[in-house]
Amino acid sequence: MTMFKNMHLVVAMLVAPVLAVMAWFAVDYFAGERPHAATEGAGYTLIAKPNCRYDSGQCDLENSEFGLSLRPLAVTDAAVELEMTSAFPLQSAALGLVDNGAELLPSPMHSTADDGLHWTAKINRPTRADAALRIAVTAQGATWYAEVPVVFMRVADQP
């Protein structure tokens, strides 16, 4: 216990963790990537939130502050009506279904409000739970896109 009698060692043991945390934030500040505004004509990937991979009834997509939320309004034997809500006004939106290895033609979405935040579309009901939904939207001249599984639409697993 003679180690703790040396005050220099005690101060060093208290200050070292503080300096390590400060260095962590300093490296992020000086070497980290800075967020930048979307540029017109560029394409950006939307990241699917975990609720897209489960039978949740909703799929949230985001990239920084830009976000979309998809949810099925009506599911019948032949079709699914999807509603999309956006954090920013959209100029256009389209959905495409990849089912059983075949890519179907994209379905344009229709705005349900003048503000461009709410959109709906009807697509064919996926025949398999491993099908994917491709989404592309345009906002302020930039294109945002994603591919998500259709599990969130409560599709029964069929062979």
Side-chain angles (χ1 to χ4, degrees), residues 3 8 14 19 22 32 41 50 53 57 65 68-69 103 110 112 115-116 118 126 134 140 147:
M3 177 174 72
H8 290 93
L14 294 174
L19 290 175
M22 287 174 48
R53 296 187 302 261
E65 294 177 3
L68 299 175
S69 180
E103 186 173 341
H110 306 286
T112 59
D115 59 5
H118 303 282
R134 291 185 178 165
Q140 299 176 351
E147 183 173 328

Side-chain angles (χ1 to χ4, degrees), residues 77 80 97-102 104 124-133 148-159:
D77 288 340
V80 176
L97 184 64
V98 179
D99 193 9
N100 204 13
L104 303 176
N124 292 337
R125 184 167 190 247
T127 58
R128 300 172 54 108
D130 64 348
L133 187 65
V148 296
V150 296
V151 177
F152 75 95
M153 290 193 288
R154 297 186 179 100
V155 176
D157 197 8
Q158 299 174 357

Side-chain angles (χ1 to χ4, degrees), residues 8-54:
H8 290 93
L9 185 61
V10 171
V11 170
M13 289 175 61
L14 294 174
V15 172
V18 173
L19 290 175
V21 170
M22 287 174 48
W24 176 272
F25 286 105
V27 166
D28 181 52
Y29 179 77
F30 289 114
E33 183 180 353
R34 303 272 189 264
H36 57 280
T39 57
E40 190 171 332
Y44 299 95
T45 304
L46 292 168
I47 305 301
K49 293 290 205 168
N51 63 350
C52 297
R53 296 187 302 261
Y54 303 106

Side-chain angles (χ1 to χ4, degrees), residues 75-124:
V75 179
T76 65
D77 288 340
V80 176
E81 184 178 2
L82 287 171
E83 177 189 46
M84 182 172 63
T85 307
S86 173
F88 293 95
L90 302 178
Q91 297 164 335
S92 65
L95 298 173
L97 184 64
V98 179
D99 193 9
N100 204 13
E103 186 173 341
L104 303 176
L105 289 175
S107 301
M109 297 189 81
H110 306 286
S111 180
T112 59
D114 291 337
D115 59 5
L117 298 177
H118 303 282
W119 296 74
T120 60
K122 263 191 179 173
I123 61 169
N124 292 337

